[in-house]
Amino acid sequence: ETFDFLQTVHKITGQYYDSDDVYLVGNSTSDYDLSTSFAHDNVMISVLSVVFVILVLLFTFQSVGLPVLLIMVIQGSIFFNFSFPGLTQSPIFLSYLIVTSIQMGANIDYAIVISTWYRDLKTTMEPRKAIVKALQLSFPTVLTSGSILAAAGFLIGKISTDGAIVGIGSCLSRGTLISMFLVMFVLPQILLLGDT
């Protein structure tokens, strides 16, 4: 209703003043501006994040299939992460855009570590043994890095009094934990299936 009223105010003032001379201020106007720009910003950030990560992975792995598999795992963790605010009807404008970028950029490293070890080890071992060894070698790195990021997000969510910052911290902590879980328990099966 408030957003409809803001549009009505714009229409009425547009009859008397040039649209560049009319300024509406306040929380409602700010929320309205965020909601109108969110869809466009979300698509741009998601597409650009995926494109840049795929380009980096293409040069790193010299493969098309592996980057797609890694992106699928991290995008899956992002979608799963933000199903929680969706189910609980929590507002997530800023936290979604920020955490999506951070989660894609930071958590893809966990998948890269495991994939790199697996690719190196499968040249000398059968695939199942190679993935087990890759997980053993990657576990300390993923656990250390992921725990630090998850703990930092958790503390930000608990310490801050600003709602937007709390949302970012909570989503970042939960998203990192989900990414760690998927990378450690789902990615290995996907890599084995991808080899077949």
Side-chain angles (χ1 to χ4, degrees):
E1 290 176 4
T2 304
F3 291 171
D4 290 340
F5 179 71
L6 290 174
Q7 290 176 348
T8 303
V9 170
H10 276 292
K11 287 178 188 172
I12 293 171
T13 56
Q15 296 171 357
Y16 302 101
Y17 303 100
D18 185 28
S19 62
D20 293 336
D21 294 333
V22 175
Y23 298 98
L24 296 178
V25 296
N27 289 341
S28 298
T29 306
S30 178
D31 289 345
Y32 177 70
D33 290 343
L34 283 173
S35 70
T36 55
S37 64
F38 177 77
H40 177 266
D41 292 349
N42 178 36
V43 170
M44 288 299 294
I45 287 172
S46 297
V47 168
L48 289 174
S49 296
V50 168
V51 166
F52 285 121
V53 168
I54 284 180
L55 286 174
V56 169
L57 293 177
L58 278 172
F59 287 113
T60 303
F61 290 115
Q62 303 290 315
S63 163
V64 176
L66 189 56
V68 171
L69 291 175
L70 300 183
I71 293 287
M72 284 174 39
V73 171
I74 300 303
Q75 278 295 94
S77 70
I78 290 170
F79 293 145
F80 191 64
N81 182 18
F82 285 101
S83 67
F84 288 96
L87 293 172
T88 59
Q89 303 287 317
S90 303
I92 56 166
F93 283 124
L94 292 176
S95 55
Y96 184 83
L97 297 175
I98 294 168
V99 172
T100 297
S101 299
I102 294 172
Q103 197 172 346
M104 177 60 75
N107 298 164
I108 196 74
D109 288 342
Y110 311 150
I112 291 170
V113 168
I114 292 172
S115 302
T116 303
W117 275 116
Y118 175 64
R119 283 186 57 177
D120 292 346
L121 291 169
K122 74 178 182 176
T123 59
T124 58
M125 302 179 176
E126 66 177 18
R128 286 183 184 270
K129 288 183 181 178
I131 198 67
V132 169
K133 185 69 173 171
L135 285 170
Q136 289 172 351
L137 293 169
S138 304
F139 184 75
T141 304
V142 173
L143 184 66
T144 304
S145 176
S147 327
I148 291 169
L149 188 58
F154 177 79
L155 291 173
I156 288 169
K158 292 298 177 191
I159 293 172
S160 179
T161 56
D162 183 81
I165 305 297
V166 169
I168 291 169
S170 301
C171 290
L172 184 59
S173 178
R174 182 178 55 242
T176 301
L177 293 173
I178 292 169
S179 294
M180 288 171 58
F181 177 82
L182 291 180
V183 163
M184 295 301 290
F185 296 104
V186 176
L187 179 63
Q189 279 67 341
I190 291 174
L191 289 173
L192 287 174
L193 286 172
D195 264 350
T196 60

